[in-house]
Amino acid sequence: MSGGKGGSQTSRVEIPAYIEGPSRRNLQRAEQLAQVGYMPYYGPSVAAFTPMQTQAMQSTADAAATFGLAPQMDVMAGMPQAQDFGGMQGYGTGQMFEQAIADLATNQPGQAAAFNQLFTGPQAGGAGLLGQVGPMGGYAPFGMGGALPPQFSGGSR
Amino acid sequence: MALPNTTMGTDVMPSGVAPAFSAQQATNAFNQQMTQGRPNATGGKGGGVGGQPSVFQQAQAGQTAAMAGTAAGMGYQPAQVQAGQIAGTDLSPYFNPFEQQVVQQSLGDIEQARQMQANQLASQAQRAGAFGGSRSAILESQANEAAMQQAARTASNLRLGGFQQAQQMAGQDIGRQMQAALANQQAGLTGAGQRLGAAAQMGGLAQQAFGMGRDLQQDMAQQGAIQQMLNQQIFDRAREQFQGYTSFPERSLGYMATALGVAPTPQTQTTSRQPGLFDYLSLAFGG
């Protein structure tokens, strides 16, 4: 653009609305999702020993004891108590994860708080952004009744 | 399973021989371990299920009994056999207890015969009017001498016969005793061999039981591992599904980005011009 006594000339490039709108919303959604934070897994991770395995190990220990190679022992002593997951015995790391987060907050409260404030979740001390929206775990696709929070609802939408 | 009590026999372990284990001890040790009825694994001890001895307890008890039986066999000494002798053998039990009575009866018969002969000689001498004469005395003396000789021969023959018969019977008894001792010795050796064989068989059975138990243990462990692997696969699939859930927003953003990337993006360029002072002057002077 130029101006002055000789006048001015302006050039303007316009993106069609059907491209610009989705692009903006996608960026907004990306920013929104970035604040969700890490989603821990509380389900089973490792399958526990089956009764057949436990019995086999106990039998081996008993045999060793019978022949004087070892004292009588419970082979499951020292092993963590398996949890029941729908009839299957296994171990999950959710509790250990929570414990680690709690330990971090105890030992490094400032750092933990600064980190947690960046994201949504129980550790952030408030309801998550996505907790205010649709029923699908906080994510409602556009066009399916999903509504953006006010801070993301402006713009060219 | 309990073994019957066994007896070693009087000739199996001679006095002074003390083996480390006896067959009876081996049997007792086996039965004791079999009837201890150790609790099963849930009770924290190494017994079989349901109070029954486990196959490893049977193997261990069998091995112990086999070792004890073998040790007893190693310490076994057969009974000693010594040959008997007539010399030094008391023959009195072999004599006819009525021998003296027979001898006395025979001597009595000889004496009676001598008296009858003496009476007959006296009667003959009396009829001849020579009774009390020297001839009669000579005849009586000769008859007495013959009777005494007959008595001595009879007694010695009877006693010699009794001695020889006693000696023969004692010799036969010594032979029979020798035969019985040898038979007992052979029976002891046979029994010892039989017990050694039984100990070896028990050792083999113990080894077989141990191997069987090990095989079953490995089968159980293998089957249990298969079960655990199946559970682990289910857990893994569940976790993958959860991860799919948590990563879906990211994927949805990708859908949009992809769609926007491939869509043509026509751009409309609009140029507008604001005329300036010179534009107007040029226009006014026809420039």
Side-chain angles (χ1 to χ4, degrees):
Chain A
M1 185 175 68
S2 62
K5 292 179 180 177
S8 64
Q9 181 174 332
T10 303
S11 293
R12 184 178 177 187
V13 177
E14 293 182 350
I15 298 175
Y18 71 92
I19 295 292
E20 182 181 5
S23 296
R24 286 180 178 275
R25 290 196 298 272
N26 214 32
L27 288 172
Q28 291 167 353
R29 178 54 58 96
E31 186 176 5
Q32 187 180 13
L33 288 171
Q35 296 184 45
V36 171
Y38 178 72
M39 294 183 69
Y41 178 67
Y42 292 97
S45 297
V46 178
F49 291 128
T50 65
M52 188 80 81
Q53 286 177 298
T54 305
Q55 186 58 49
M57 288 189 287
Q58 186 66 53
S59 179
T60 300
D62 292 346
T66 299
F67 283 92
L69 297 175
Q72 286 289 340
M73 65 178 74
D74 179 5
V75 294
M76 294 306 288
M79 295 291 291
Q81 179 65 43
Q83 299 170 271
D84 183 80
F85 295 94
M88 291 181 294
Q89 300 294 310
Y91 302 99
T93 56
Q95 291 181 350
M96 298 175 72
F97 168 76
E98 294 288 351
Q99 185 62 46
I101 295 297
D103 291 344
L104 177 65
T106 300
N107 295 299
Q108 303 292 341
Q111 191 176 9
F115 183 86
N116 290 330
Q117 287 297 326
L118 297 175
F119 305 102
T120 302
Q123 300 299 327
L129 292 173
L130 295 183
Q132 304 171 14
V133 290
M136 298 179 65
Y139 181 79
F142 297 116
M144 295 183 65
L148 287 173
Q151 61 269 36
F152 295 112
S153 61
S156 61
R157 187 181 180 199
Chain B
M1 180 176 61
L3 294 179
N5 288 330
T6 58
T7 56
M8 298 293 290
T10 54
D11 61 333
V12 172
M13 289 295 160
S15 60
V17 176
F21 296 99
S22 68
Q24 187 63 53
Q25 287 174 315
T27 302
N28 291 341
F30 183 87
N31 289 335
Q32 182 181 4
Q33 299 203 30
M34 285 295 96
T35 55
Q36 273 181 342
R38 297 181 179 181
N40 56 22
T42 56
K45 291 189 176 180
V49 177
Q52 296 296 319
S54 72
V55 68
F56 291 111
Q57 285 179 328
Q58 295 183 34
Q60 193 273 339
Q63 187 186 51
T64 300
M67 292 172 65
T70 303
M74 292 167 64
Y76 173 74
Q77 290 185 356
Q80 298 294 313
V81 176
Q82 288 187 335
Q85 291 181 332
I86 293 293
T89 301
D90 180 14
L91 296 180
S92 58
Y94 299 98
F95 281 104
N96 183 358
F98 304 106
E99 181 180 291
Q100 184 64 22
Q101 190 176 351
V102 171
V103 170
Q104 292 302 321
Q105 182 64 42
S106 298
L107 293 179
D109 291 345
I110 292 173
E111 176 62 18
Q112 185 178 7
R114 186 193 65 79
Q115 288 179 358
M116 287 177 64
Q117 188 176 15
N119 290 337
Q120 192 176 6
L121 287 175
S123 175
Q124 289 175 354
Q126 204 169 21
R127 280 197 303 269
F131 183 75
S134 58
R135 180 178 176 78
S136 176
I138 291 171
L139 290 174
E140 186 179 356
S141 174
Q142 289 177 338
N144 287 341
E145 183 180 357
M148 289 183 66
Q149 288 176 348
Q150 179 64 31
R153 280 196 300 272
T154 299
S156 65
N157 285 339
L158 285 174
R159 294 192 189 281
L160 177 62
F163 175 75
Q164 287 177 337
Q165 189 175 7
Q167 196 177 33
Q168 183 180 8
M169 292 171 64
Q172 290 173 349
D173 272 0
I174 289 173
R176 282 192 289 268
Q177 287 176 350
M178 184 67 175
Q179 193 175 4
L182 288 173
N184 287 336
Q185 185 188 51
Q186 186 59 43
L189 285 169
T190 302
Q194 188 178 22
R195 284 188 292 275
L196 275 176
Q201 185 174 2
M202 179 160 280
L205 289 172
Q207 188 176 10
Q208 185 180 12
F210 184 80
M212 184 173 65
R214 290 286 298 158
D215 288 346
L216 288 175
Q217 272 184 343
Q218 290 170 359
D219 289 346
M220 289 171 63
Q222 198 171 15
Q223 292 176 10
I226 292 173
Q227 293 172 338
Q228 187 194 29
M229 185 174 64
L230 176 64
N231 289 344
Q232 185 63 54
Q233 288 178 345
I234 294 173
F235 288 166
D236 291 345
R237 297 296 89 75
R239 181 159 196 163
E240 285 178 6
Q241 200 167 17
F242 180 81
Q243 288 173 338
Y245 167 78
T246 56
S247 64
F248 181 73
E250 182 183 348
R251 288 173 56 197
S252 70
L253 290 177
Y255 294 153
M256 293 291 290
T258 302
L260 291 171
V262 299
T265 310
Q267 297 180 354
T268 301
Q269 183 170 352
T270 304
T271 304
S272 59
R273 191 168 189 276
Q274 293 288 337
L277 177 61
F278 291 112
D279 294 324
Y280 290 110
L281 290 177
S282 299
L283 185 62
F285 293 103

